[in-house]
Amino acid sequence: MLHLVWERFDPARVLGHRAYGYDALASTQDAAWALVDADASHGVAVQAGTQAQGRGRFARRWEAGPGDALLLSVLVRPPLAVVPLLTIATTLAIQDATRTLAGVDAAVKWPNDVHVGGRKLAGVLVEGRTDTAGITTCVIGIGLNLDLDPSAHPAIAEVATSLRVLSGGHFDATHAGAVVLAALDAQYAAAEAGEDLLGRWRSALDTLGRRIRVGVVGGALTGVAEDVDSSGQLLLRTDDGRLHTLAAGDVTLSP
């Protein structure tokens, strides 16, 4: 049986107007999709202290023990024009939240990671479904390392960081969730209003202008990340001079 620890109602917000906190879940993404099936309203959020089957892109597991990370998923029913901006809006929101929480300035690594000094601080997973009536529903998943000690997790010890490592502070996940939801609510509203999120995201990307390797289905491409297009796809110039437009991929930054 799921153990609901807290419930928060904030009528001043759209995303996060109601949030449910659990001590443990199999996956906040799955819990949010269950709320979709129960016809929950746009903007409802689910948070967990731990999750047994948390997932990121490419079916990777999110490594975190109790209290280590913010584990959060948000149900959204966006206009079609906003769907391509969800990852963009969310990574910008995480940037804003890390400044608020810890005074940490983080960069965005295309397409969905927030990192500092090449070490991953947060990741975003956006999943979507379109029903027979043509209505799209998405769940935005966020993992943000708060008090994580990367050295306690050998699989990520060399590639991860946390707000505690970066600032020396201790971070309460419930408070961090409220800060992230406030930032996401603001960025989502900006996306709906047609503000230039893409321009701000382009400035936040430290991938651009660098030589990178991108893992894609069936292999990998190496070249220079020249830019992103209007929907956030990466424009990669490979060594043979060809320009590739990539919607997704696993990026490794060159030194």
Side-chain angles (χ1 to χ4, degrees), residues 61-243:
R61 182 178 175 183
W62 185 272
E63 297 267 349
D68 281 351
L70 170 64
L71 306 169
L72 178 70
S73 293
V74 189
L75 181 170
V76 294
R77 294 188 174 91
L80 286 178
V82 174
V83 172
L85 299 175
L86 291 177
T87 298
I88 292 170
T90 306
T91 52
L92 289 174
I94 293 171
Q95 267 198 314
D96 291 344
T98 60
R99 293 188 191 103
T100 300
L101 287 165
V104 168
D105 284 319
V108 177
K109 185 179 81 169
W110 184 91
N112 68 320
D113 285 347
V114 176
H115 69 157
V116 176
R119 288 179 173 261
K120 184 171 179 175
L121 178 62
V124 174
L125 174 66
V126 176
E127 298 174 328
R129 300 176 184 170
T130 302
D131 64 20
T132 56
I135 297 173
T136 298
T137 301
C138 297
V139 171
I140 302 169
I142 296 169
L144 169 61
N145 291 330
L146 299 174
D147 283 5
L148 178 78
D149 177 4
S151 67
H153 301 269
I156 59 172
E158 300 300 320
V159 296
T161 190
S162 68
L163 292 185
R164 187 169 189 175
V165 169
L166 294 167
S167 71
H170 167 73
F171 299 91
D172 174 74
T174 303
H175 172 65
V179 171
V180 169
L181 282 170
L184 181 58
D185 187 51
Q187 294 292 350
Y188 184 90
E192 281 197 313
E195 295 183 21
D196 184 21
L197 263 64
L198 184 66
R200 289 158 53 193
W201 191 62
R202 182 183 281 113
S203 297
L205 285 169
D206 66 355
T207 313
L208 301 185
R210 297 183 63 172
R211 185 171 178 79
I212 63 173
R213 180 182 184 275
V214 185
V216 295
V217 176
L221 296 170
T222 300
V224 175
E226 290 196 348
D227 204 349
V228 289
D229 68 13
S230 59
S231 61
Q233 297 183 110
L234 184 68
L235 304 179
L236 178 75
R237 182 79 64 180
T238 50
D239 295 340
D240 59 5
R242 296 175 60 192
L243 187 65

